[in-house]
Amino acid sequence: MTDWSRLTSRLAQRQQQQLMRQRNTIETAQNAEIVSNGQKLLNFCSNDYLGLANHPQVVAALQQAAAEYGVGSGASHLVNGHSTLHHQLEEALAAFTGHQRALLFSTGYMANVGVISALVDKGDLVLQDKLNHASLIDGGLLSGARFARYLHNDVVSLTQKLQQHQANQQLIVTDGVFSMDGDIAPLNEIAAVAKQHNAWLMVDDAHGIGCLGPNGEGAVAEAGLAGEDVPILIGTFGKALGTAGAFVAGDEVLIESLIQFARPYIYTTAMPPAIAAATLASLKLVQTESFRREKLKQRIHQFRSGASQLGLQLMESTTAIQPIVVGDTETALKLSQFLKAQDILVTAIRPPTVPTGTARLRVTLSASHSERQVNQLLDALAKACKQLKDTSSQLN
Ligand SMILES: *Cc1c(COP(=O)(O)O)cnc(C)c1O
């Protein structure tokens, strides 16, 4: 018998801290309404911000490409898995983001790990925002470069770290939109500081691409910056674009270096070409139809004004990510359960995903939500908060 005692004790500890994570199986497409365990739920926790994951044109593009190209790509990009569909998508993404070239990765996680570890090494310094996504942190650790974390969205703290540490090359890394808080990085200031210190700048815009900017180009365009102001741009397809995978955009030298040196690019099977075709279809919708971004903005506004009337503690977020910070894990879990009893799905986000003492309900809004559905959420939140008060006064 294998001795798993160290695992069983870690699992028991996690259970006891109420940090055990569980997967919900969903029985429908990703949508404003889903079915899970036979329960019909209003869905306020997907990253499908524009409602494209289930769009007929995106689905049709996938089906057509699968009929022509099959399902598996059959090999890595460098062997013979790089199809014309992958190539077309790369060219479209380069034009979309205002960069010379773009390179596809199978996931955003792999893109972040691959890019950071290909670009820096021992003797270099990676500077990261305290709230950066886990994949960026992991990339920094894997690279072997020295690591400094600056205070969240704090350019003064960033500048101090840049001055404190000597390094061959400094790489500044930030989320464009922060995934658990929903706020946007001060990219104008960060780009200026990067230039001033001759540091490289990498922005992971997983939550900005599709949603921000005049045509969905993301947080960089929203800030009024040009492509070249952010020389290393990461975008993902699994959120607003509604498909799967990721890209890096940059100039010739950057992309060629990644093709040569980014191990998560080299040593993995290329994404299915049909996914590239679906992403091309969805990119076209993002660029040409701005009504989804407008509708999303309206829902965000509606939710924020309704929630503040209820006295809920919102964060400084203008994006689709609207967390309600409640503090302790137990309260976050309870509220989430009370909402689920009213057929509303909002996940509780707990440490270690967020800092201790900042457990929250992470509400995400989508262009696929109707005004009525957001009102249903607000009504349910009001009830859930009252229920919470009633139960805690019983205990006291
Ligand atoms: C979701 C996310 C990723 C990971 O992208 P996947 O394609 O899901 O692997 C990377 N960075 C940020 C900021 C994210 O929110």
Side-chain angles (χ1 to χ4, degrees):
M1 280 280 275
T2 310
D3 178 7
W4 293 122
S5 54
R6 58 189 278 172
L7 297 186
T8 49
S9 70
R10 281 177 70 193
L11 287 171
Q13 191 189 7
R14 188 159 267 233
Q15 185 77 265
Q16 196 200 346
Q17 295 168 325
Q18 294 195 302
L19 295 178
M20 202 70 179
R21 291 149 185 249
Q22 263 156 4
R23 300 172 306 167
N24 263 322
T25 312
I26 77 164
E27 292 140 29
T28 52
Q30 196 61 252
N31 230 328
E33 282 186 340
I34 57 173
V35 177
S36 178
N37 287 321
Q39 184 184 8
K40 203 162 135 190
L41 292 159
L42 248 179
N43 176 14
F44 287 98
C45 49
S46 99
N47 300 319
D48 181 27
Y49 303 126
L50 298 178
L52 293 176
N54 192 25
H55 190 285
Q57 273 166 256
V58 179
V59 175
L62 183 115
Q63 286 170 334
Q64 272 165 29
E68 195 175 335
Y69 287 79
V71 176
S73 67
S76 68
H77 283 280
L78 291 181
V79 176
N80 75 344
H82 188 67
S83 74
T84 47
L85 292 174
H86 294 119
H87 209 74
Q88 276 171 24
L89 177 58
E90 288 184 347
E91 285 175 347
L93 288 164
F96 178 57
T97 57
H99 284 278
Q100 287 175 357
R101 288 183 69 182
L103 187 72
L104 302 182
F105 278 77
S106 297
T107 72
Y109 186 98
M110 290 167 73
N112 284 337
V113 168
V115 171
I116 299 176
S117 61
L119 296 184
V120 289
D121 206 334
K122 249 188 356 227
D124 300 324
L125 177 71
V126 181
L127 298 110
Q128 299 218 25
D129 188 290
K130 278 237 149 126
L131 298 187
N132 272 356
H133 191 262
S135 56
L136 296 168
I137 305 303
D138 292 357
L141 292 174
L142 185 71
S143 73
R146 267 211 316 194
F147 215 88
R149 318 249 341 233
Y150 59 91
L151 298 177
H152 178 53
N153 279 349
D154 187 331
V155 184
V156 174
S157 164
L158 167 62
T159 309
Q160 280 168 356
K161 304 274 177 199
L162 280 163
Q163 288 163 347
Q164 256 167 32
H165 301 277
Q166 290 299 311
N168 299 334
Q169 179 63 52
Q170 294 171 317
L171 169 67
I172 302 169
V173 182
T174 181
D175 280 20
V177 174
F178 285 85
S179 47
M180 294 301 140
D181 290 43
D183 54 348
I184 303 174
L187 292 182
N188 276 296
E189 295 168 71
I190 294 176
V193 167
K195 269 196 193 126
Q196 204 184 332
H197 287 83
N198 219 0
W200 289 342
L201 173 59
M202 167 170 170
V203 172
D204 173 1
D205 205 18
H207 299 275
I209 294 285
C211 295
L212 301 177
N215 302 298
E217 304 92 331
V220 176
E222 180 86 12
L225 294 170
E228 65 197 21
D229 294 320
V230 174
I232 311 160
L233 174 72
I234 309 288
T236 68
F237 305 142
K239 285 152 186 161
L241 284 156
T243 64
F247 70 95
V248 183
D251 70 10
E252 206 57 55
V253 178
L254 173 76
I255 300 302
E256 202 48 50
S257 303
L258 295 175
I259 294 174
Q260 304 306 318
F261 305 123
R263 293 166 64 91
Y265 181 76
I266 302 165
Y267 298 107
T268 200
T269 302
M271 71 166 64
I275 294 288
T279 308
L280 262 170
S282 135
L283 183 62
K284 194 177 261 173
L285 293 171
V286 162
Q287 286 180 280
T288 57
E289 299 183 351
S290 59
F291 69 86
R292 291 184 192 84
R293 279 184 290 281
E294 287 310 312
K295 196 172 162 202
L296 178 60
K297 263 187 210 149
Q298 288 166 14
R299 296 296 165 268
I300 294 167
H301 179 76
Q302 182 194 350
F303 174 76
R304 284 188 69 85
S305 59
S308 61
Q309 273 169 30
L310 293 175
L312 294 172
Q313 197 197 332
L314 293 177
M315 300 189 83
E316 286 294 313
S317 163
T318 54
T319 67
I321 303 164
Q322 291 292 332
I324 303 169
V325 177
V326 298
D328 69 291
T329 294
E330 204 185 331
T331 309
L333 283 175
K334 265 199 187 141
L335 277 175
S336 173
Q337 281 157 11
F338 291 156
L339 288 173
K340 198 164 179 192
Q342 302 178 70
D343 300 328
I344 301 235
L345 190 62
V346 179
T347 34
I349 306 279
R350 299 163 278 172
T353 306
V354 291
T356 308
T358 71
R360 65 198 66 181
L361 290 178
R362 181 175 178 269
V363 172
T364 54
L365 298 162
S366 166
S368 63
H369 291 129
S370 66
E371 190 177 347
R372 195 175 140 258
Q373 288 171 328
V374 172
N375 281 332
Q376 281 174 271
L377 168 65
L378 290 164
D379 290 345
L381 273 167
K383 268 189 215 153
C385 290
K386 186 171 179 301
Q387 238 174 320
L388 188 71
K389 255 188 215 139
D390 293 349
T391 43
S392 58
S393 61
Q394 274 167 21
L395 292 176
N396 289 342

